[in-house]
Amino acid sequence: MTPSKFGVGQSVRRKEDDPLLRGGGRYVADHWPEGTLHAVMVRSPHAHARFRIDAGPARAMPGVRLVLTGDDVAALGPLPMQAGIEGVDIWVPSHPVLARDEVRHVGDAVAFVVADTLDQAKDAAEAIEVEWQALPHVIGAVEALEQGAAQVWAKSPGNLAFETTLGDRGATSKAFEEASRTVSVTLVNQRLVTNYLDTRGVIAEYAAARDRVTLTLGSQGSHAVRDTLTADVLRIAPDRLRVVTPDVGGGGFGTKLFTYREYALADVAARRLKRPVRWIAERSEHFLGDAQGRDNITTARLALDGKGRFLGLDIDIVADMGAYLSAYAPYIPFLGAGMSPGVYDIPVCFVRLRAAYTHTVPVDAYRGAGRPEASYVIERLVDAAARELDLAPDALRRRNFIKPKAMPYTTATDKVYDSGDFAAHMARAQEIGQWDGFKQRAAAARRKGVIRGIGLATYIEACGTMGPDTATVTLERDGGIAALMGSQSSGQGHATSYAQIVADHLGVAPERVRMVQGDTDRVATGTGTGGSSSIPCGGNSLAGASEKLADNLRRLAADALEASPRDLEFADGAIRIAGTDRSIALADLAKRPDATAEKLTTSDAFTPPAPTYPNGTHLAEVEIDPATGATRIVNYPELFTTSRRLCLKVLIQRMILVSNQNYAISGKPHPPCMTLCCRCRACHL
C-alpha cells in the first residue's frame, strides 16, 4: 500500500465543517414533509399515581386528528431491555409505549395527541381529563432499598432490581484483616441529564403503495432503532419500516442510542392518518422523557500495608435504575464495576453491585457508560488514602501503579490490560502543569487573598467493543468513492477520518470520498456509534473493504495497462505503473466494459477481539475567592495515552489513528503504524 498524502495521520481540512458553519446542516427539526401534522405527549405530573383518562373532549376539539391512550396501543410490545448481565437473573418490568392505569415517574407518558398545528395539539393535550390518585413514592436508590420504602413494582420486593458480585470475597476479607491501614469513602455519582443541542424528534411518513413508514429521527444508529421497533414494539417485518438519521447536532452522548416511545407512536399515528406526523421534544420535556445517566452511591474501602502498598479493594455500589429498565441499564454499572481497580496493582478485589427501582426517569448509558464512575471512585479513594498516610498524592499513586513490565496485566476483576505506562504520563502531566512550582504559586495567591489548590487524577477505560460494523465501498463512474457506513456521526468527524482511511488504500483526495450513513434502506447493516467504537470497529471494516476494492481495481488496471498488479500503485485518483508515467484514472477504469458492479463494490465487517484500554492523567489548578466562593480554573493540562494493542488486521491495514501525545512521552518520532485513538483530541477527532 502506497502512503497517501491525504491518509491517516495527515493534517487535512475537515469535510464536515463548511456546510455546517454556513447553515447547510439538516437536522430532524428541519424536515417538513407536505401535509405534516403535529404531535405532543401528555405526561404524568406525579412520581407515582393511578389514573383514569378521558380523551373524549380533546378528540372533539378543532384540528385534532388523533388521540392515542394506553388502551389504543395496548397491542404494541413494551420497550425492551436489550443488555442484561450474564448469569444474573433480572426480572424486567413491562415498559409500555403509553402507561395504562398507573404511572411510575414524573414524565411517564399517558397520551399522544396529533393535530393540524402545534398549538391545537397543545390545547387538546391540556383538555384531556385525567383523574389522578397519588400513591406513595420513593426517589433515591439507597432509600428505595430500605425496609418499608414505597414499592415501585410488586413483583420486585424491596425494590431490588438485581444483585451481583465480582472478584474474590474471601481473599479480599483476608487482605483487610491483615492490613496495617484501611481507608473508606462514600461517594455520589450524581444523576445527570444529557442536554444535547438538538432535542430528540421524529417525523413519520406513510407510503400507502408499500404500506410502509419512514421515520426520520436523531439517533446514534438507525439500524438499532429499526430493529428494536420492528421486532419488539411494532412487531412488523423490518422491510415495513425505514429509519433515516440526518445530521445529529450537539452530540448523542449515549442517550440518542435508545429506542423511545415517541418513535412507535409516530409510526402508529402516520399509518392511521395516512399523513406525516411530527414530534419534536421541547427542552423541558427532554428532562422528563429521555434516559438519564449515572446515579450511583458507592462505598469504597482500601486496604494498605505498612509501606503504603495496596493490598485489597472492597466496593459496594447501589445503582438507581429508575422506574423501568432502559435498554442497557443493568449492564452499565456492571461494566463500571469491572473497571474498579483502575490503573493500580491491587491483588484482590470484591465488588458488590445492587440495583434499585425508584420512581424516577430510567437511567442508561451516558458518556462512558460506567467507566467514568469507576475512575471517580478509585481516584477519590486514593486521594483519601494519601491524606490518611500523609503522603503526596502523586507519590502514593506512583508506588502502586501497575508497572509496564507487568503487561499484559490481569486485574482482580479479570480485565486484561495489554500495555500502559501510567507513571510516565502522570509525570509528563506534572511537568506540563509545573507541579513542582505549586507551593510558590499558592503562597503568591494567599498574598492576594485567594486560595489556590492543585490536584490530579489518572484513569483507564475499556473502549472499542461495539461490532461487527459492516462497511461497503464503491468506485463510482466519476472516479469518486462512496463509503456506506453503519456507524453514525454526531459531531465526531467521521466523514473526514473515514475519507482518510479510504485515501490510504485508494489514493483519492478526501473530497472525492462521499460517506453515506444513517439510512436503513441504503446501508445494509449497522451497529451504530457508542463506546468509542467508530474507528476500532467501523474504521477497520472500512479499511478491509477498501483493501478488497483496491485488489479488484489493480486487476482491472493490470489489463488496461498491460502490467502486473504487483507493479501498480494508487495516487491522485489514478492507478499507475510504479516508476513510470503510465496510468489510468479511476473514473476511466470505472467505465471499462469489464468493470462490473460486482468488481466495483466490496464490503467487510470487523469485530475487535478485545477492548482497547485508553488511559491518561488530568491535572487541574484552581483559585477560590474565600469571600465569594468564586472559583477560577487557572491551569488544566491534559495528557492522554492509548492502548498499544494492535490486532493483526490493524497492523496489516494500517487502519489506525495518530496519538501524538502517546509518543510525546517517549520522545520518539511517529512510527508508520500508530495506536488506536479513543480520547486524545490531538487530531481532528
Side-chain angles (χ1 to χ4, degrees):
M1 183 176 63
T2 305
S4 170
K5 60 184 177 182
F6 304 113
V8 173
Q10 303 302 312
S11 178
V12 299
R13 187 180 298 275
R14 280 173 54 111
K15 297 180 58 179
E16 298 86 351
D17 294 349
D18 187 75
L20 296 178
L21 291 171
R22 296 177 186 274
R26 288 296 176 264
Y27 304 90
V28 174
D30 295 318
H31 190 52
W32 288 90
E34 184 178 353
T36 295
L37 302 173
H38 299 263
V40 299
M41 190 77 88
V42 180
R43 300 183 183 276
S44 168
H46 296 276
H48 191 201
R50 292 192 184 94
F51 70 95
R52 296 174 62 186
I53 188 167
D54 181 2
R59 290 186 172 115
M61 292 180 68
V64 174
R65 300 288 178 167
L66 181 68
V67 178
L68 297 174
T69 66
D71 288 340
D72 299 311
V73 292
L76 296 183
L79 299 173
M81 183 194 79
Q82 296 175 264
I85 304 170
E86 186 176 356
V88 178
D89 185 25
I90 302 175
W91 176 77
V92 182
S94 177
H95 189 180
V97 170
L98 287 173
R100 300 174 68 191
D101 303 325
E102 190 169 343
V103 291
R104 288 179 168 84
H105 67 84
V106 173
D108 212 352
V110 299
F112 189 73
V113 181
V114 183
D116 290 340
T117 70
L118 183 59
D119 285 343
Q120 288 173 329
K122 288 184 175 181
D123 289 344
E126 292 180 1
I128 291 177
E129 298 177 0
V130 185
E131 180 183 326
W132 301 102
Q133 179 190 351
L135 298 172
H137 65 270
V138 61
I139 58 174
V142 171
E143 293 79 3
L145 296 180
E146 292 176 352
Q147 188 173 2
Q151 291 294 291
V152 182
W153 298 98
K155 291 185 178 180
S156 184
N159 294 317
L160 183 67
F162 65 89
E163 180 173 353
T164 189
T165 61
L166 293 84
D168 189 325
R169 185 197 301 263
T172 302
S173 296
K174 184 177 180 181
F176 275 84
E177 292 171 2
E178 297 174 352
S180 298
R181 304 285 287 273
T182 64
V183 180
S184 176
V185 296
T186 297
L187 303 170
V188 176
N189 266 294
Q190 76 271 22
R191 180 178 286 241
L192 298 167
V193 176
T194 304
N195 260 332
Y196 22 64
L197 292 180
D198 63 325
T199 58
R200 281 194 310 108
V202 58
I203 291 89
E205 300 171 76
Y206 178 70
R210 300 181 61 184
D211 187 26
R212 189 172 192 247
V213 165
T214 295
L215 297 181
T216 300
L217 50 84
S219 77
Q220 292 174 233
S222 299
H223 296 83
V225 174
R226 181 201 61 185
D227 294 346
T228 301
L229 282 174
T230 56
D232 299 300
V233 185
L234 300 172
R235 295 167 176 166
I236 58 177
D239 61 4
R240 292 186 61 202
L241 181 66
R242 176 189 183 193
V243 176
V244 176
T245 295
D247 288 326
V248 179
F253 310 123
T255 313
K256 283 183 179 171
L257 189 64
F258 320 125
T259 301
Y260 291 94
R261 55 205 340 168
E262 295 87 1
Y263 306 158
L265 292 167
D267 178 285
V268 170
R271 291 179 191 272
R272 293 191 184 185
L273 298 171
K274 308 296 189 288
R275 293 270 299 276
V277 174
R278 168 189 170 93
W279 173 83
I280 304 293
E282 295 185 349
R283 179 61 58 186
S284 59
E285 195 172 13
H286 165 61
F287 285 74
L288 303 174
D290 292 9
Q292 299 177 356
R294 313 274 198 256
D295 208 348
N296 296 345
I297 307 294
T298 304
T299 296
R301 297 190 304 136
L302 186 64
L304 303 95
D305 67 13
K307 297 181 179 180
R309 298 192 182 278
F310 301 162
L311 300 177
L313 177 66
D314 182 84
I315 304 278
D316 185 273
I317 303 170
V318 179
D320 196 330
M321 295 287 99
Y324 306 99
L325 291 181
S326 185
Y328 306 102
Y331 187 66
I332 303 308
F334 179 78
L335 181 62
M339 299 301 296
S340 293
V343 294
Y344 302 103
D345 184 9
I346 305 177
V348 293
C349 173
F350 178 72
V351 183
R352 180 192 187 195
L353 168 61
R354 289 171 290 164
Y357 291 116
T358 63
H359 290 107
T360 61
V361 176
V363 171
D364 211 316
Y366 167 82
R367 293 294 290 164
R371 286 95 74 189
E373 294 93 304
S375 292
Y376 176 66
V377 169
I378 189 65
E379 290 302 288
R380 286 288 305 274
L381 183 59
V382 171
D383 274 348
R387 289 190 293 271
E388 179 76 17
L389 299 175
D390 197 24
L391 288 173
D394 58 323
L396 184 60
R397 284 175 168 82
R398 195 173 293 109
R399 188 173 302 178
N400 288 282
F401 280 147
I402 301 166
K403 303 298 188 292
K405 65 182 180 181
M407 301 295 176
Y409 178 90
T410 302
T411 72
T413 54
D414 289 327
K415 303 297 180 184
V416 182
Y417 302 162
D418 62 296
S419 63
D421 193 341
F422 313 132
H425 58 63
M426 184 180 73
R428 179 66 175 137
Q430 289 178 292
E431 178 186 350
I432 296 171
Q434 300 178 339
W435 179 272
D436 291 340
F438 170 73
K439 290 183 178 180
Q440 291 84 352
R441 297 193 297 276
R446 281 195 298 271
R447 291 192 291 270
K448 295 190 300 181
V450 296
I451 302 168
R452 184 174 283 228
I454 195 169
L456 56 79
T458 51
Y459 81 93
I460 190 167
E461 62 169 321
C463 291
T465 56
M466 286 184 68
D469 205 353
T470 300
T472 300
V473 291
T474 298
L475 173 62
E476 300 183 313
R477 298 297 176 179
D478 64 355
I481 305 295
L484 280 64
M485 301 299 302
S487 57
Q488 177 66 49
S489 173
S490 56
Q492 300 95 327
H494 287 182
T496 300
S497 54
Y498 288 153
Q500 290 188 274
I501 294 167
V502 173
D504 262 346
H505 293 274
L506 300 172
V508 295
E511 58 267 22
R512 302 291 291 160
V513 180
R514 182 171 57 88
M515 183 182 70
V516 179
Q517 63 173 359
D519 188 336
T520 58
D521 269 10
R522 302 186 64 190
V523 182
T525 64
T527 305
T529 292
S532 301
S533 297
S534 290
I535 294 301
C537 299
N540 268 295
S541 300
L542 180 59
S546 298
E547 185 60 33
K548 290 177 182 179
L549 181 59
D551 289 340
N552 289 354
L553 298 182
R554 284 192 192 95
R555 286 191 289 269
L556 288 171
D559 291 339
L561 298 172
E562 297 180 342
S564 168
R566 293 190 299 271
D567 296 332
L568 302 181
E569 63 184 9
F570 291 85
D572 300 324
I575 300 179
R576 69 190 177 198
I577 301 175
T580 76
D581 60 358
R582 293 182 59 201
S583 66
I584 181 170
L586 293 181
D588 294 333
L589 191 63
K591 297 181 180 74
R592 286 178 58 85
D594 54 345
T596 62
E598 292 76 14
K599 293 178 182 178
L600 298 183
T601 297
T602 55
S603 298
D604 195 35
F606 176 72
T607 302
T612 62
Y613 289 96
N615 53 87
T617 295
H618 287 251
L619 185 149
E621 191 170 339
V622 301
E623 281 188 349
I624 302 173
D625 184 339
T628 65
T631 302
R632 184 170 67 95
I633 299 174
V634 295
N635 190 18
Y636 198 127
E638 310 166 65
L639 195 74
F640 303 90
T641 68
T642 59
S643 167
R644 294 184 183 180
R645 173 184 291 109
L646 296 176
C647 68
L648 181 59
K649 187 165 186 176
V650 176
L651 283 169
I652 292 173
Q653 298 176 339
R654 290 182 64 246
M655 207 326 290
I656 29 66
L657 276 178
V658 177
S659 174
N660 291 328
Q661 292 155 314
N662 196 38
Y663 286 88
I665 294 171
S666 63
K668 297 177 182 178
H670 297 307
C673 289
M674 307 297 291
T675 58
L676 288 169
C677 169
C678 292
R679 288 284 186 260
C680 83
R681 298 296 187 269
C683 62
H684 58 266
L685 293 184

